[in-house]
Amino acid sequence: MWLDRIDRLSDLPDALLVKILSLLPTKQVVSTMLLSKRWQFLWMFVSRLEYSDDIFQDGRFLRFLYSSLLLHQAKVLECFSLKLGRNSGDIDLGVCVTPAVNRCVRELIVEIDASSTETHFILPRSLYTGCRMLVTLKLQNAVLVDASEMFSFPSLKTLSLISMKYPGDGFIRKLLSSCPVLEDLFVVKCRGDNVARLVVRVPSLKYLTVRTTSEVEYHQGLVLDVPSLEFLDIVDYTDGFCIVENSMSKVVEAHLDVTYSHPQQLLASLTSLVQLSLCLTTSMDTHFDGTTFSQLEQLKVCTCETEWLDLLMRLLKAAPKLRFIVLELSHGIRTEDPLRDWNQPSRVPECLLSSLEYFDWKQYGGREEEKQVARYILGNSGRLGLATFYPKSTNLVKNLQMLTELSMSPRRSSICQLEFCGNYNHVSK
């Protein structure tokens, strides 16, 4: 029966068989050469080659990799993927990547598992000039060396650089300047990457994600000139800075989890936002007053820092169309300092009176300051339909007490329902 099915497949044209083979893992594709004479050479023309050293042991991976690359004959590669770890041995990335470059590869992925090997894998210089058809480039835990040649990535739209090592700041600027149609950039910085200030000047860029953890040297810098940007996601725990050189008037979604001492300029450049998620270690100074987020509908504020309440009140004042607010303790308490003394604003923000519909508070602790904020929002939100509280405590008695206190708080909206989720579920009419 199985052989009959193989015979039926053999009746299909070569071009269709090659397409079918391209959907399979490369190890299985190569093994089809043993089926019959008809299949002996078909695998050599598949347009996708995906290698991972975790499917081989005892050095067989390198033999399989080098021999299959040597025999492969497709003129164009849709994808070349290479994932290396403890079984990769003394692999030469140049021998592996250069054939893909020479075959006008469209998607190139090189991922190194740094936890399982201490080898420094160096990418070949041919990558910089030979990838004119490359659309997607994803690199992880490898080394990019300097080159006197001009970089050329005229078709590149997606670029991912995770824990890479560079010759210096200028290298990334040179690399990005050679990508005239780049739309999506994902960067994870690492210790010893030789980049103290990441400069992103890409007129075509629409999506930008930058991760800089506390393991990286302190005071990292980010410079942005991205007028077409629509999505921004920054995580930076190095007490660094961000400079915005030109307007970012097209950004509709931003996620900022940073320890910048002066985040005002960055926030003030994002006035076109519809969705915003924030975790800041500093409050906004008076220079932020007057900034308006006229399109902002969804706001999430992390409550792990003592400044979150000041930040929330300033944003309520600045966002007249807010519909959804989420407060969440996302990182655990970084400090045990009490919240700043809070006095209710003399004027109720417009969003509470006319637009807020949903309010979620995750990891609600029931401290006195939190109770005051909850009562204020419940008592002043004219269109609020649902307020949901997720208690931080696992104590049933304490949760019931917090629910009772909240359910007795005045609610301006006649349609507002109060829901308590966790060890005790209840909706108060």
Side-chain angles (χ1 to χ4, degrees):
M1 182 68 70
W2 184 75
L3 291 176
D4 289 341
R5 292 177 181 175
I6 295 297
D7 289 338
R8 292 175 188 174
L9 284 174
S10 299
D11 292 337
L12 298 175
D14 286 356
L16 182 55
L17 289 175
V18 168
K19 285 187 177 182
I20 294 174
L21 289 176
S22 295
L23 302 176
L24 300 175
T26 298
K27 183 182 178 182
Q28 295 181 16
V29 171
V30 176
S31 67
T32 60
M33 65 184 293
L34 303 175
L35 294 176
S36 68
K37 291 184 178 180
R38 170 75 191 283
W39 291 82
Q40 187 174 359
F41 303 107
L42 284 177
W43 72 269
M44 299 180 185
F45 298 92
V46 297
S47 60
R48 299 182 66 88
L49 293 176
E50 300 177 356
Y51 298 96
S52 178
D53 73 348
D54 60 5
I55 60 174
F56 289 95
Q57 302 290 335
D58 303 327
R60 288 187 298 152
F61 171 71
L62 290 185
R63 293 197 297 271
F64 172 75
L65 173 63
Y66 290 150
S67 60
S68 60
L69 284 176
L70 182 64
L71 294 171
H72 193 260
Q73 299 181 35
K75 294 182 179 180
V76 176
L77 277 178
E78 289 297 324
C79 177
F80 179 82
S81 175
L82 185 61
K83 298 182 180 181
L84 306 176
R86 62 174 57 89
N87 299 318
S88 57
D90 297 324
I91 191 171
D92 186 335
L93 281 187
V95 173
C96 303
V97 174
T98 299
V101 172
N102 293 338
R103 289 175 180 142
C104 303
V105 63
R106 307 291 176 84
E107 179 180 6
L108 177 61
I109 302 171
V110 178
E111 297 180 0
I112 315 297
D113 182 3
S115 65
S116 61
T117 178
E118 296 182 357
T119 304
H120 296 289
F121 294 93
I122 300 175
L123 287 161
R125 288 183 172 86
S126 61
L127 177 66
Y128 306 152
T129 57
C131 294
R132 298 191 60 81
M133 301 300 293
L134 190 64
V135 177
T136 300
L137 176 61
K138 297 181 179 180
L139 306 174
Q140 180 174 343
N141 286 312
V143 179
L144 289 165
V145 295
D146 207 353
S148 58
E149 302 92 342
M150 290 295 294
F151 295 178
S152 180
F153 296 95
S155 305
L156 192 65
K157 291 189 175 183
T158 300
L159 175 61
S160 176
L161 302 169
I162 300 177
S163 300
M164 297 290 292
K165 301 294 177 64
Y166 313 92
D169 289 5
F171 181 90
I172 292 188
R173 289 198 294 270
K174 183 178 179 181
L175 172 62
L176 294 179
S177 67
S178 69
C179 307
V181 296
L182 186 65
E183 296 182 354
D184 191 344
L185 175 62
F186 188 99
V187 179
V188 177
K189 299 182 87 296
C190 66
R191 179 179 291 275
D193 63 5
N194 299 317
V195 177
R197 186 163 78 162
L198 176 63
V199 179
V200 182
R201 295 191 180 104
V202 184
S204 59
L205 198 66
K206 295 182 179 181
Y207 308 94
L208 174 62
T209 300
V210 179
R211 298 275 189 271
T212 307
T213 65
S214 56
E215 296 178 354
V216 179
E217 292 81 356
Y218 266 46
H219 306 299
Q220 296 288 305
L222 177 62
V223 178
L224 300 179
D225 184 358
V226 282
S228 299
L229 199 68
E230 299 175 4
F231 174 90
L232 177 64
D233 187 349
I234 304 175
V235 176
D236 188 344
Y237 301 150
T238 68
D239 295 341
F241 62 88
C242 179
I243 298 173
V244 180
E245 293 186 336
N246 281 307
S247 170
M248 297 193 295
S249 59
K250 297 182 180 180
V251 180
V252 295
E253 181 177 349
H255 303 267
L256 307 177
D257 182 1
V258 298
T259 58
Y260 298 153
S261 56
H262 300 287
Q264 292 86 352
Q265 190 215 9
L266 174 58
L267 269 177
S269 66
L270 299 172
T271 55
S272 59
L273 285 173
V274 175
Q275 182 176 344
L276 173 62
S277 175
L278 277 179
C279 182
L280 303 180
T281 56
T282 57
S283 60
M284 300 295 100
D285 59 25
T286 55
H287 293 93
F288 183 75
D289 293 339
T291 301
T292 301
F293 298 92
S294 59
Q295 305 301 318
L296 188 63
E297 295 184 0
Q298 301 180 42
L299 172 65
K300 178 181 177 182
V301 175
C302 180
T303 60
C304 71
E305 298 288 349
T306 57
E307 308 295 344
W308 71 265
L309 182 52
D310 176 73
L311 176 63
L312 173 64
M313 298 313 298
R314 289 179 182 271
L315 289 169
L316 291 181
K317 180 181 177 182
K321 295 183 179 179
L322 264 181
R323 298 179 54 248
F324 201 148
I325 297 176
V326 176
L327 303 180
E328 181 172 7
L329 182 62
S330 301
H331 306 95
I333 296 291
R334 291 177 179 164
T335 176
E336 294 297 333
D337 295 338
L339 294 175
R340 286 184 173 186
D341 291 337
W342 178 62
N343 296 315
Q344 292 188 11
S346 57
R347 183 178 178 182
V348 178
E350 183 179 343
C351 65
L352 297 187
L353 294 174
S354 61
S355 63
L356 187 65
E357 299 175 9
Y358 303 98
F359 176 67
D360 278 11
W361 195 328
K362 300 178 181 179
Q363 296 291 302
Y364 176 74
R367 293 191 296 172
E368 185 57 37
E369 301 92 341
E370 294 176 317
K371 293 177 186 178
Q372 293 178 20
V373 176
R375 292 184 190 124
Y376 180 76
I377 291 177
L378 292 173
N380 289 285
S381 299
R383 296 188 59 187
L384 188 62
L386 179 63
T388 307
F389 293 82
Y390 302 81
K392 178 182 177 183
S393 172
T394 58
N395 186 293
L396 182 61
V397 175
K398 182 178 180 180
N399 289 346
L400 181 59
Q401 182 181 356
M402 287 191 292
L403 169 61
T404 302
E405 292 175 349
L406 288 170
S407 63
M408 294 176 63
S409 301
R411 276 167 269 173
R412 184 171 187 141
S413 172
S414 60
I415 63 171
C416 179
Q417 289 186 322
L418 181 65
E419 183 173 347
F420 215 61
C421 297
N423 290 336
Y424 189 84
N425 298 311
H426 181 76
V427 175
S428 177
K429 302 295 184 180

